[in-house]
Amino acid sequence: MGSTVFERQRPSAATVDHALTGTRQAVFWLEDAPADSYPTLTASTSADLVVVGGGYSGLWTALLAKQRDPGRSVVLLEAKTIGWAASGRNGGFAESSLTHGEENGRTRFPDEYGHLARLGRQNLDELEATVRDMKLDADWERNGSIDLAVEPHQVEWLRDEAGAVDADSDDVFLDEAQMQASVHSPTYLGGLWHQKDGATVHPGKLARALARACADAGVQIFEHTPVAELVTSGLSRSEGVDVHTWSRDLTGRPTAATVRAKKVALGTNVFPSLLKRNRLYTVPVYDYVLMTEPLSSAQLDAIGWQGRQGLGDSANQFHYYRLSADNRILFGGYDAVYHYGGKVRDVYEQRERSHRMLAEHFFTTFPQLDGLRFTHKWAGAIDTCSRFCAFYGSAREDRIAFALGYTGLGVAATRFGAQVMLDLLSGHDTERTQLQMVRSKPIPFPPEPVASLGVNMMRWALDRADHHEGRRNLFLRTMDAVGLGFDS
Ligand SMILES: Cc1cc2nc3c(=O)[nH]c(=O)nc-3n(C[C@H](O)[C@H](O)[C@H](O)COP(=O)(O)OP(=O)(O)OC[C@H]3O[C@@H](n4cnc5c(N)ncnc54)[C@H](O)[C@@H]3O)c2cc1C
């Protein structure tokens, strides 16, 4: 079997041991963002719109609902705290793609890919305008992103991709010398710079700033208020939905309150859907992350990276990394882990093997940073669906809408998903609701034990492909042919 650069150029065990000494299991972004707290719902009420989930999906839906119709009453219900899940712990790459990249988009939606690419850019531009106009404190930096080639066959992939871009794109192919002039790593053989299609953001600050913007617009936010059930039986279409919650009051006594909602939008991501029919469409896949201490100016000089772009290498199992505002490096990805049974569990966030592998790959990438330490390590569950990009829909006579399955690329795309949910609830066809991407669904995952067999076989096959110049084996080619896949 061939080897990858991360196996050929391993750092010393001493370098990795030193870097991981004292690394805390905690999400840097959540520690580093000012938090407001919101009350728990203890008494029944009513609203024009109830939004379930206090991540980006729910927050954008609530904010945009108020912007579309300031007179509408909006209640947002969050099971724990605002942004605690994927929205507060991601890499912070805000990308224009709505389809998890160009290749996936062109393959799955060949007839409308150009349209989707334009809508994605428009979405990113509008997101940026909101951050600017509402003065959201979120460390937004529109520096683009670079796909990196770290093996010779990846140089050819990037060159081909650069040749296939659409007219609106300003992607630039960087050869080895140009790439090294931009960021110095002995692993880099070339790059594809997406100059305007990406930004980096502080994920925790973005979530909390969005919540503040929602509250300022009149959205009533409730934390520690899990929704248990959505009931429509016995209610007419105009009466809406009874949203049953359960929580605890200030003395710790369990309370149950109901919100009678005309409409409901679900931004519940990887967590068990309140619509049972959606449960087989996504599986949680754990993604691991490290954060370094801030780099000194000498350490920064040693790597260049003046353009501060988001970086990601191009293998099937890839790393993503970026600078924070205080010049730390976030380094994540590669090891995507599915646990039998498909549950979301805190205990899965601690996986020494994955964090150590990331640390090794970090020093293969930047050996000149020997001596640097990691201050934080964490993980999060990715809502993976078989088509790698979100799916949308409505239920119960259009009283309930959902957008799910962002598969690791939802920082910007959730804003588009929020618009789709509001369109679907409005009952009017729009440019968005007519898209094939919005009208079609992915193939559901089979139940256990087949799900875990399939997902683990897929991981094994992707790893083998990365060790064989990216060549996909029969199993992967079969999965490609039926439109099933697995990626983070
Ligand atoms: C480690 C990691 C790195 C990532 N990196 C990137 C990246 O760099 N770029 C990118 O574009 N994407 C990235 N993603 C994906 C991105 O973070 C997600 O797509 C996005 O945050 C999804 O937002 P959301 O609001 O749908 O979900 P979440 O942020 O998960 O929010 C869902 C919320 O719903 C609440 N909820 C669920 N069920 C209920 C219920 N019954 N009642 C009440 N509340 C409920 C949950 O408590 C949670 O707060 C990453 C994800 C992870 C885990």
Side-chain angles (χ1 to χ4, degrees):
M1 184 153 95
S3 64
T4 69
V5 68
F6 301 102
E7 289 151 355
R8 293 193 297 274
Q9 298 177 25
R10 276 181 198 278
S12 75
T15 297
V16 176
D17 289 342
H18 170 81
L20 287 170
T21 305
T23 307
R24 284 188 303 120
Q25 179 81 32
V27 181
F28 170 79
W29 302 125
L30 294 176
E31 286 187 356
D32 192 51
D36 301 306
S37 62
Y38 298 91
T40 294
L41 183 73
T42 52
S44 293
T45 181
S46 63
D48 294 324
L49 174 68
V50 164
V51 177
V52 186
Y56 301 143
S57 290
L59 293 163
W60 279 116
T61 307
L63 185 62
L64 289 162
K66 275 295 199 183
Q67 288 174 347
R68 286 188 187 192
D69 176 4
R72 163 160 48 182
S73 56
V74 180
V75 166
L76 185 148
L77 304 172
E78 163 54 46
K80 293 191 178 181
T81 51
I82 294 297
W84 76 273
S87 297
R89 61 181 64 211
N90 60 72
F93 286 62
E95 302 203 350
S96 66
S97 178
L98 303 173
T99 56
H100 209 138
E102 179 166 345
E103 194 188 340
N104 191 45
R106 281 194 192 282
T107 310
R108 293 186 193 277
F109 312 110
D111 298 337
E112 64 183 21
Y113 180 71
H115 192 180
L116 293 172
R118 270 193 304 286
L119 288 173
R121 286 192 191 111
Q122 182 187 332
N123 179 58
L124 189 69
D125 289 343
E126 288 174 1
L127 199 167
E128 178 170 76
T130 304
V131 168
R132 188 187 55 234
D133 297 347
M134 300 190 85
K135 300 192 175 34
L136 302 184
D137 169 22
D139 298 346
W140 178 269
E141 295 186 56
R142 185 80 178 255
N143 296 325
S145 62
I146 305 181
D147 295 338
L148 302 159
V150 298
E151 303 286 353
H153 64 271
Q154 294 170 6
V155 179
E156 296 319 310
W157 288 352
L158 297 184
R159 215 190 286 275
D160 289 350
E161 206 183 312
V165 293
D166 62 61
D168 292 341
S169 163
D170 63 356
D171 290 357
V172 180
F173 177 78
L174 305 173
D175 64 19
E176 185 171 350
Q178 289 165 322
M179 191 57 235
Q180 293 289 344
S182 182
V183 192
H184 320 316
S185 163
T187 64
Y188 296 166
L189 304 174
L192 182 63
W193 182 16
H194 308 284
Q195 295 186 78
K196 66 180 178 197
D197 283 346
T200 55
V201 67
H202 186 309
K205 285 188 183 175
L206 178 62
R208 288 167 177 175
L210 278 172
R212 247 165 264 137
C214 284
D216 290 347
V219 175
Q220 286 184 278
I221 299 178
F222 296 96
E223 291 183 323
H224 302 292
T225 305
V227 173
E229 205 183 358
L230 305 174
V231 175
T232 43
S233 64
L235 297 180
S236 68
R237 195 174 179 181
S238 62
E239 284 171 319
V241 185
D242 276 342
V243 181
H244 292 298
T245 73
W246 67 269
S247 47
R248 292 182 186 279
D249 67 14
L250 290 174
T251 66
R253 267 197 317 257
T255 61
T258 297
V259 189
R260 170 71 60 88
K262 291 213 171 70
K263 303 278 177 179
V264 176
L266 299 178
T268 52
N269 192 29
V270 76
F271 300 92
S273 178
L274 291 160
L275 295 172
K276 285 205 178 63
R277 61 154 95 155
N278 282 340
R279 291 201 180 164
L280 286 178
Y281 283 105
T282 62
V283 292
V285 173
Y286 276 78
D287 193 39
Y288 294 84
V289 181
L290 291 171
M291 184 65 117
T292 71
E293 60 195 342
L295 271 64
S296 65
S297 42
Q299 286 167 325
L300 275 174
D301 286 348
I303 51 172
W305 208 350
Q306 298 291 322
R308 299 178 61 84
Q309 303 93 337
L311 303 178
D313 46 43
S314 304
N316 290 304
Q317 299 189 97
F318 63 95
H319 309 89
Y320 54 87
Y321 40 116
R322 46 79 53 99
L323 289 162
S324 65
D326 62 350
N327 293 325
R328 297 163 184 269
I329 299 176
L330 173 142
F331 196 78
Y334 196 82
D335 214 6
V337 181
Y338 173 78
H339 296 271
Y340 185 91
K343 299 278 189 304
V344 180
R345 295 264 184 275
D346 292 353
V347 60
Y348 298 152
E349 294 171 21
Q350 299 181 29
R351 196 165 192 267
E352 202 185 322
R353 214 168 81 202
S354 297
H355 284 127
R356 189 170 177 90
M357 188 191 292
L358 274 178
E360 287 177 0
H361 294 184
F362 177 89
F363 287 108
T364 296
T365 306
F366 293 132
Q368 64 273 47
L369 297 181
D370 192 354
L372 192 70
R373 285 180 192 256
F374 299 104
T375 54
H376 296 72
K377 55 180 176 177
W378 69 88
I382 302 248
D383 60 332
T384 304
C385 79
S386 65
R387 72 181 199 185
F388 301 166
C389 58
F391 59 95
Y392 319 81
S394 61
R396 316 226 191 136
E397 301 168 297
D398 295 338
R399 289 180 240 186
I400 303 169
F402 57 85
L404 292 171
Y406 292 93
T407 319
L409 204 69
V411 169
T414 42
R415 182 184 176 281
F416 180 85
Q419 299 274 32
V420 173
M421 284 197 276
L422 292 173
D423 290 352
L424 291 170
L425 292 175
S426 77
H428 301 297
D429 259 346
T430 66
E431 182 187 19
R432 286 177 285 254
T433 60
Q434 285 172 348
L435 292 166
Q436 189 208 342
M437 181 181 75
V438 169
R439 297 169 89 94
S440 60
K441 295 269 184 313
I443 297 171
F445 289 97
E448 294 291 13
V450 185
S452 92
L453 264 174
V455 173
N456 287 325
M457 228 171 126
M458 182 71 80
R459 283 193 61 208
W460 172 82
L462 289 171
D463 188 54
R464 266 183 73 89
D466 287 339
H467 284 81
H468 287 91
E469 301 184 351
R471 281 194 294 271
R472 295 165 89 76
N473 68 13
L474 184 62
F475 175 71
L476 282 180
R477 289 202 306 270
T478 309
M479 291 291 124
D480 289 345
V482 296
L484 266 173
F486 176 73
D487 200 351
S488 65

